[in-house]
Amino acid sequence: MPVRLSKTVRLMAEPKENVLMEKIVSLCKRRGFIFQSSEIYGGINGFWDYGPLGAELKRNVKELWWNTMTRRRDDVVGLEATIIMSPEIWKASGHVDTFTDPMVDCKTCKGRFRADQTGEIPCPQKPSKMVSECHGEKTAPRAFNLMFQTYVGPVQDASAIAYLRPETAQAIFAQFKNVLETSRQKLPFGIAQVGKAFRNEVTPRNFTFRSREFEQMELEFFIKPDEVVEAISGRVATAAEVSGGNIQHPTSNIQHPMGAAPGPRPPTLDPRPDWGWEAWHKYWVEERIVFYEGIGLGRSTLEEYWQKPEELAHYARACVDILFKFPFGTQELEGIAARSDFDLSQHERCSGKSMGVFDEELRAAWSKLDDAKKEALSRRYTEARLKYLTKMGVDQAAAEQEAKEDAAGLAKGQYIPHVIEPSAGVDRLILALICNAYSEDQMPDEKGKLETRVVLKFHPRVAPVKVGVMPLLKNKPDLVAKARQLRDLLRPHMNVFYDDAGAIGRRYRRQDEAGTPFCVTVDFETLEGAKDGALAGQKDTVTLRHRDDGRQDRVKIAELLPLLLEKIR
Amino acid sequence: MPVRLSKTVRLMAEPKENVLMEKIVSLCKRRGFIFQSSEIYGGINGFWDYGPLGAELKRNVKELWWNTMTRRRDDVVGLEATIIMSPEIWKASGHVDTFTDPMVDCKTCKGRFRADQTGEIPCPQKPSKMVSECHGEKTAPRAFNLMFQTYVGPVQDASAIAYLRPETAQAIFAQFKNVLETSRQKLPFGIAQVGKAFRNEVTPRNFTFRSREFEQMELEFFIKPDEVVEAISGRVATAAEVSGGNIQHPTSNIQHPMGAAPGPRPPTLDPRPDWGWEAWHKYWVEERIVFYEGIGLGRSTLEEYWQKPEELAHYARACVDILFKFPFGTQELEGIAARSDFDLSQHERCSGKSMGVFDEELRAAWSKLDDAKKEALSRRYTEARLKYLTKMGVDQAAAEQEAKEDAAGLAKGQYIPHVIEPSAGVDRLILALICNAYSEDQMPDEKGKLETRVVLKFHPRVAPVKVGVMPLLKNKPDLVAKARQLRDLLRPHMNVFYDDAGAIGRRYRRQDEAGTPFCVTVDFETLEGAKDGALAGQKDTVTLRHRDDGRQDRVKIAELLPLLLEKIR
């Protein structure tokens, strides 16, 4: 995977200028993946609904993320917090003060425009000129907060203001201590959450890519500060020491009664106690890319972008963006940031509640360090805390005092955890999966004549429908009864679409467009047993038709379920 | 199941007055089921977060509902719409005008109070008196809308007002035609949705039961009007004709490679073409109760409350509430309403977009009816439409004209569908499951002395953790290695909690409190094979411990996974 040189190298094309993107948007509507929200009322800009196929696709992706990130691991637990939280949370996080776009108002036309886009937006009154060139008198740029605001309770005054969360992450920090105390986890461990977030984008664009209401899948993985790792392990591993495949999965000598274990594979890297933030950061970048591979986004469709020092937020140690090559440009799917102890520190300062942990291992290790080591680690820890405190406006003397006290906590086994944050957008991932799956090829129709076929080549794990079940003919009760039996056999285990309407070739094409990886057809051979030599005696067989190449196999019904399960899990 | 006489017979006790409820609230916090939102900032009234165990419980319930209501059926598809929609939707639904509580303001203390609760709320300035008795000058009651309001886009004026949805249902109506046209469904069919909704309750209460942010699971099941059913089938079935168990599941002659099909059972009732709204309404009441039974809420814990004619909304034909006996009173879990064609009619009138369907069966059937029948059905249809139109303020002459035109559509196979709406609250269901599962009993401790045990007897289908996996001792590498193998064997199929800390009896108790139905312990017999006669040769066995009665069985590892899968699905 090549490393991108600059985040802004690739310009985004508007969907209308992009034929492929137009086809995808059209397919999404036509097949019920994505509709405009409130379409019958003219829509509402920046909001999109998922239709029957889209809702299934989205559920599958969220379920796979949840299973991979929490249920398949010992060291991550889940959280489901509210969208409306105390506004104090957004003061602590900095969103109230700094989550803004600069806007100018035109006193003539009363329009409001992004200050950095006035050169690209036509004047509403004189569209021949851009806003920056027209004669309307403009205000100076003012900060416009991107959080949606509302009032909680019956009185609409300043004390009742609340916000729709602009990200899910902050709830994880706010509940860190509750989760730590109730979940029997010790550092390093993570808290995962999936849920809606809202940003009042001035210019929603690129279909569902930049919406005002969207869904996130975020993990906050809490780790020990490097000074603590070094005190305990004597050293801190470099990122270069982290490489894939060092786990020998121990299940090999237990016979698995259902064949291979389902789902994306469990972690291949075995974390070590000497991992500091660089190693953990690299680990999560690797884990997340493997996740994308596991749902059909191969490495060649992705790019890794390591933010440059000057691009990083002041508290961030590093941030990697995982980008996907959309038809409208290469754009971010997920950011994996090493956020130091900034978030928990902020909530500790703003809430007055301790966000620190007690680490028995550290306490025991510290007492065995020689004085030079204690001194060196304390100094480094003090410096890091001092940097944070002065950045947040604490005056120098107070900051020095507080940083020193923080470092004194190390001897008692106390510190504030650092965090690695893999943060993914669900909607843009869904769009990436659809763009990646979209394909046109030539396939023979009923009469053998080649025709253009639209097919969504979803990985079977995420495909909305796993299998189409069809009687060859609708007017043969035996075929229909058998097909319904098959449907009922498969349905408890996977999403099945039963279809008996129209020519079989048409039905296959409809499933191709929906991205259904398999179709099973009950035909006369199913009922009578095969007649030619090769299949003699193979009663109760069906046609298994493969989406990507149209290949058709003859499969025994008794073997069908395990065969399909192996493919879709 | 007894039919309740009145919805208000049972008074709600405040949780603080209720010892059992206090224990449940405390357990929810202590074990990480439910936390107060933004607790470190003093909380925010009416908002609750789900911790690790709560998030898993909630996911399981939502997943079971989704699978039961959509994936296991041919006739229901899913939708996932936005929380913020066009405000026109809430005008059409009536929420902008009528979704209000009457409030009075006190000009003296500036407080705002529910007009019907001033006799119960102490005056903020003189708490010895109630608001209704104090000397503060009150305004006349004014309507306070319960929808949370926000602004979309950069300008905060009246044209930018939008609302957080107070229910998920309306999105289903707004997208009805898009779904109909893309999903290959024909009436009768349903659209299901799970998602957050928001109501700015003046008095959130009873723990999570009445929150300001909550989640709903709603189905809108669209059916033919009775006149259409009669035109096609010649008759309309009565509700009494609907009774359970008339489906012969056709899978019996296909051998299931994994034993019984997992999950709540598929429908046991086979809908018939002559079902009108009464039959369909009864069908869904029955289906929903069976769902609750399938997740551990037996019929004896529920009550059915049929709303009386004077309690029904003007457009509703019938509404059944399914109530659960909470410690603080018997309260609604779900309402199943027959809502006529009100919702689609409203959106047709307000959007100007047709919400009608074309029904080839009706067109064909109508042409074969005799004139008297045509006349009678048209008259009934006209009357129903007229009732709706005049209720909505259309003047008599225009309404008569429009109703007549609507009835004329029947001959062309056109009409607006009616709807049955089973609408369930997720959070109150979670609370019901926890209350229902909460139990205290006496169990012997390590030394055989009886002690009080707290146990959550969740149905295994919804239990957050399905199995605890434990080595008997933490300091025996062979036991630990084998236990980890077992964990990795089971984990791809279910949520596993691995625990090696503390005495085994304590570990069992921790899982009891979390509601984990099974624990598997790797002990020395596992490694060495059993030594007594009865188990001779049974190497590779483990202890399977059952939560509810503490019973312990010896089970072969090779048999463990299928055995557990059968219990939890």
Side-chain angles (χ1 to χ4, degrees), chain B residues 419-448:
Chain B
V419 73
I420 307 290
E421 176 190 88
S423 167
V426 182
D427 306 85
R428 46 186 63 182
L429 174 52
I430 298 302
L431 187 55
L433 290 171
I434 293 173
C435 291
N436 186 61
Y438 186 91
S439 171
E440 292 176 16
D441 59 18
Q442 300 289 312
M443 273 253 171
D445 68 6
E446 303 282 276
K447 292 165 189 152

CSV table of all heavy atoms in Angstrom, one decimal, chain B residues 419-448:
chain,number,residue,atom,x,y,z
B,419,VAL,N,-52.9,0.1,7.9
B,419,VAL,CA,-51.7,-0.3,8.5
B,419,VAL,C,-52.0,-0.9,10.0
B,419,VAL,O,-52.8,-0.3,10.6
B,419,VAL,CB,-50.6,0.8,8.5
B,419,VAL,CG1,-51.0,1.9,9.5
B,419,VAL,CG2,-49.2,0.3,8.8
B,420,ILE,N,-51.2,-1.9,10.3
B,420,ILE,CA,-51.2,-2.4,11.7
B,420,ILE,C,-49.8,-2.1,12.2
B,420,ILE,O,-48.8,-2.4,11.5
B,420,ILE,CB,-51.4,-3.9,11.7
B,420,ILE,CG1,-52.7,-4.3,11.0
B,420,ILE,CG2,-51.4,-4.4,13.2
B,420,ILE,CD1,-54.0,-3.9,11.7
B,421,GLU,N,-49.7,-1.5,13.4
B,421,GLU,CA,-48.4,-1.0,13.9
B,421,GLU,C,-48.0,-1.7,15.2
B,421,GLU,O,-48.5,-1.2,16.3
B,421,GLU,CB,-48.5,0.5,14.0
B,421,GLU,CG,-47.2,1.1,14.6
B,421,GLU,CD,-47.3,2.6,15.0
B,421,GLU,OE1,-47.8,2.9,16.1
B,421,GLU,OE2,-47.0,3.4,14.2
B,422,PRO,N,-47.2,-2.7,15.3
B,422,PRO,CA,-46.7,-3.1,16.5
B,422,PRO,C,-45.4,-2.3,16.8
B,422,PRO,O,-44.4,-2.3,16.1
B,422,PRO,CB,-46.2,-4.6,16.3
B,422,PRO,CG,-46.8,-4.9,14.9
B,422,PRO,CD,-46.9,-3.6,14.2
B,423,SER,N,-45.5,-1.5,17.9
B,423,SER,CA,-44.5,-0.5,18.3
B,423,SER,C,-44.0,-0.8,19.7
B,423,SER,O,-44.7,-0.6,20.6
B,423,SER,CB,-45.1,0.9,18.2
B,423,SER,OG,-44.2,1.8,18.8
B,424,ALA,N,-42.7,-1.2,19.7
B,424,ALA,CA,-42.1,-1.6,21.0
B,424,ALA,C,-41.0,-0.7,21.5
B,424,ALA,O,-40.3,-0.1,20.6
B,424,ALA,CB,-41.6,-3.0,21.0
B,425,GLY,N,-40.9,-0.4,22.8
B,425,GLY,CA,-39.7,0.3,23.3
B,425,GLY,C,-38.6,-0.6,23.7
B,425,GLY,O,-38.8,-1.5,24.5
B,426,VAL,N,-37.4,-0.3,23.2
B,426,VAL,CA,-36.3,-1.2,23.5
B,426,VAL,C,-35.9,-1.1,25.0
B,426,VAL,O,-35.7,-2.0,25.7
B,426,VAL,CB,-35.1,-0.9,22.6
B,426,VAL,CG1,-33.9,-1.9,23.0
B,426,VAL,CG2,-35.4,-1.0,21.2
B,427,ASP,N,-35.8,0.2,25.5
B,427,ASP,CA,-35.2,0.4,26.8
B,427,ASP,C,-36.1,-0.1,27.9
B,427,ASP,O,-35.7,-0.7,28.9
B,427,ASP,CB,-35.0,1.9,27.0
B,427,ASP,CG,-34.2,2.5,25.9
B,427,ASP,OD1,-34.7,2.8,24.8
B,427,ASP,OD2,-32.9,2.5,26.0
B,428,ARG,N,-37.4,0.0,27.7
B,428,ARG,CA,-38.3,-0.5,28.7
B,428,ARG,C,-38.4,-2.1,28.6
B,428,ARG,O,-38.5,-2.7,29.7
B,428,ARG,CB,-39.7,0.1,28.6
B,428,ARG,CG,-40.3,0.1,27.2
B,428,ARG,CD,-41.6,0.9,27.2
B,428,ARG,NE,-41.5,2.3,27.6
B,428,ARG,CZ,-42.5,3.1,27.7
B,428,ARG,NH1,-43.8,2.7,27.4
B,428,ARG,NH2,-42.4,4.4,28.1
B,429,LEU,N,-38.1,-2.6,27.4
B,429,LEU,CA,-38.0,-4.1,27.4
B,429,LEU,C,-36.8,-4.6,28.1
B,429,LEU,O,-36.8,-5.6,28.8
B,429,LEU,CB,-38.0,-4.5,25.9
B,429,LEU,CG,-37.8,-6.0,25.6
B,429,LEU,CD1,-38.8,-6.9,26.4
B,429,LEU,CD2,-38.0,-6.3,24.1
B,430,ILE,N,-35.7,-3.8,27.9
B,430,ILE,CA,-34.4,-4.2,28.6
B,430,ILE,C,-34.7,-4.2,30.1
B,430,ILE,O,-34.3,-5.1,30.8
B,430,ILE,CB,-33.3,-3.2,28.2
B,430,ILE,CG1,-33.0,-3.3,26.7
B,430,ILE,CG2,-32.0,-3.5,29.1
B,430,ILE,CD1,-32.6,-4.7,26.2
B,431,LEU,N,-35.3,-3.1,30.5
B,431,LEU,CA,-35.6,-3.0,32.0
B,431,LEU,C,-36.5,-4.1,32.4
B,431,LEU,O,-36.3,-4.7,33.5
B,431,LEU,CB,-36.3,-1.6,32.3
B,431,LEU,CG,-36.5,-1.3,33.7
B,431,LEU,CD1,-35.2,-1.4,34.5
B,431,LEU,CD2,-37.1,0.1,33.9
B,432,ALA,N,-37.5,-4.5,31.6
B,432,ALA,CA,-38.4,-5.6,32.0
B,432,ALA,C,-37.6,-6.9,32.1
B,432,ALA,O,-37.8,-7.7,33.0
B,432,ALA,CB,-39.5,-5.7,30.9
B,433,LEU,N,-36.7,-7.1,31.1
B,433,LEU,CA,-35.9,-8.4,31.1
B,433,LEU,C,-35.0,-8.4,32.4
B,433,LEU,O,-34.9,-9.5,33.0
B,433,LEU,CB,-35.0,-8.4,29.9
B,433,LEU,CG,-35.8,-8.7,28.6
B,433,LEU,CD1,-34.8,-8.5,27.4
B,433,LEU,CD2,-36.4,-10.1,28.6
B,434,ILE,N,-34.5,-7.3,32.8
B,434,ILE,CA,-33.6,-7.3,34.0
B,434,ILE,C,-34.5,-7.5,35.2
B,434,ILE,O,-34.2,-8.3,36.1
B,434,ILE,CB,-32.8,-5.9,34.1
B,434,ILE,CG1,-31.8,-5.9,33.0
B,434,ILE,CG2,-32.2,-5.8,35.5
B,434,ILE,CD1,-31.1,-4.5,32.9
B,435,CYS,N,-35.6,-6.8,35.3
B,435,CYS,CA,-36.5,-7.0,36.5
B,435,CYS,C,-37.0,-8.4,36.5
B,435,CYS,O,-37.1,-9.0,37.6
B,435,CYS,CB,-37.7,-6.1,36.4
B,435,CYS,SG,-37.3,-4.3,36.6
B,436,ASN,N,-37.4,-9.0,35.4
B,436,ASN,CA,-37.9,-10.4,35.3
B,436,ASN,C,-36.8,-11.4,35.7
B,436,ASN,O,-37.1,-12.4,36.3
B,436,ASN,CB,-38.4,-10.7,33.9
B,436,ASN,CG,-39.0,-12.0,33.8
B,436,ASN,OD1,-40.0,-12.2,34.5
B,436,ASN,ND2,-38.5,-12.9,33.0
B,437,ALA,N,-35.5,-11.0,35.4
B,437,ALA,CA,-34.4,-12.0,35.6
B,437,ALA,C,-33.9,-11.9,37.0
B,437,ALA,O,-33.3,-12.9,37.6
B,437,ALA,CB,-33.3,-11.7,34.6
B,438,TYR,N,-34.1,-10.7,37.7
B,438,TYR,CA,-33.5,-10.5,39.0
B,438,TYR,C,-34.1,-11.5,40.0
B,438,TYR,O,-35.3,-11.7,40.2
B,438,TYR,CB,-33.8,-9.1,39.5
B,438,TYR,CG,-33.1,-8.8,40.8
B,438,TYR,CD1,-31.8,-8.2,40.8
B,438,TYR,CD2,-33.6,-9.1,42.0
B,438,TYR,CE1,-31.1,-8.0,42.0
B,438,TYR,CE2,-33.0,-8.9,43.2
B,438,TYR,CZ,-31.7,-8.3,43.2
B,438,TYR,OH,-31.0,-8.0,44.3
B,439,SER,N,-33.2,-12.1,40.7
B,439,SER,CA,-33.6,-13.2,41.7
B,439,SER,C,-32.6,-13.3,42.8
B,439,SER,O,-31.4,-13.1,42.6
B,439,SER,CB,-33.7,-14.5,40.9
B,439,SER,OG,-33.9,-15.6,41.7
B,440,GLU,N,-33.0,-13.6,44.0
B,440,GLU,CA,-32.1,-13.9,45.1
B,440,GLU,C,-32.4,-15.3,45.6
B,440,GLU,O,-33.6,-15.7,45.7
B,440,GLU,CB,-32.3,-12.9,46.2
B,440,GLU,CG,-31.9,-11.5,45.8
B,440,GLU,CD,-32.2,-10.5,46.9
B,440,GLU,OE1,-32.4,-10.9,48.1
B,440,GLU,OE2,-32.1,-9.3,46.6
B,441,ASP,N,-31.4,-16.1,45.9
B,441,ASP,CA,-31.7,-17.4,46.5
B,441,ASP,C,-30.5,-17.7,47.4
B,441,ASP,O,-29.6,-16.9,47.7
B,441,ASP,CB,-31.9,-18.5,45.4
B,441,ASP,CG,-30.7,-18.6,44.5
B,441,ASP,OD1,-29.6,-18.2,44.8
B,441,ASP,OD2,-30.9,-19.2,43.4
B,442,GLN,N,-30.6,-18.9,48.0
B,442,GLN,CA,-29.6,-19.3,48.9
B,442,GLN,C,-28.7,-20.4,48.2
B,442,GLN,O,-29.3,-21.3,47.7
B,442,GLN,CB,-30.2,-19.9,50.2
B,442,GLN,CG,-31.1,-19.0,50.9
B,442,GLN,CD,-30.3,-17.9,51.7
B,442,GLN,OE1,-29.3,-18.2,52.3
B,442,GLN,NE2,-30.7,-16.6,51.5
B,443,MET,N,-27.4,-20.2,48.3
B,443,MET,CA,-26.5,-21.2,47.7
B,443,MET,C,-25.4,-21.5,48.6
B,443,MET,O,-24.9,-20.5,49.3
B,443,MET,CB,-25.9,-20.7,46.4
B,443,MET,CG,-26.7,-20.9,45.1
B,443,MET,SD,-26.0,-22.2,44.1
B,443,MET,CE,-27.4,-22.3,42.9
B,444,PRO,N,-24.9,-22.7,48.7
B,444,PRO,CA,-23.7,-22.9,49.6
B,444,PRO,C,-22.5,-22.3,49.0
B,444,PRO,O,-22.3,-22.2,47.8
B,444,PRO,CB,-23.6,-24.4,49.6
B,444,PRO,CG,-24.4,-24.9,48.4
B,444,PRO,CD,-25.4,-23.9,48.1
B,445,ASP,N,-21.7,-21.7,49.9
B,445,ASP,CA,-20.4,-21.1,49.5
B,445,ASP,C,-19.3,-22.2,49.4
B,445,ASP,O,-19.7,-23.4,49.5
B,445,ASP,CB,-20.0,-19.9,50.4
B,445,ASP,CG,-19.6,-20.4,51.8
B,445,ASP,OD1,-19.6,-21.6,52.0
B,445,ASP,OD2,-19.4,-19.5,52.6
B,446,GLU,N,-18.1,-21.9,49.3
B,446,GLU,CA,-17.0,-22.8,49.1
B,446,GLU,C,-17.0,-23.9,50.2
B,446,GLU,O,-16.7,-25.0,50.0
B,446,GLU,CB,-15.6,-22.1,49.2
B,446,GLU,CG,-15.5,-21.0,48.1
B,446,GLU,CD,-15.2,-21.6,46.7
B,446,GLU,OE1,-14.0,-21.8,46.5
B,446,GLU,OE2,-16.1,-21.8,45.9
B,447,LYS,N,-17.3,-23.4,51.5
B,447,LYS,CA,-17.3,-24.3,52.6
B,447,LYS,C,-18.6,-24.9,52.9
B,447,LYS,O,-18.8,-25.5,54.0
B,447,LYS,CB,-16.8,-23.5,53.9
B,447,LYS,CG,-15.3,-23.1,53.7
B,447,LYS,CD,-14.9,-22.0,54.7
B,447,LYS,CE,-13.5,-21.5,54.4
B,447,LYS,NZ,-13.3,-20.1,54.9
B,448,GLY,N,-19.6,-24.8,52.0
B,448,GLY,CA,-20.8,-25.4,52.2
B,448,GLY,C,-21.8,-24.6,53.0
B,448,GLY,O,-23.0,-25.1,53.3
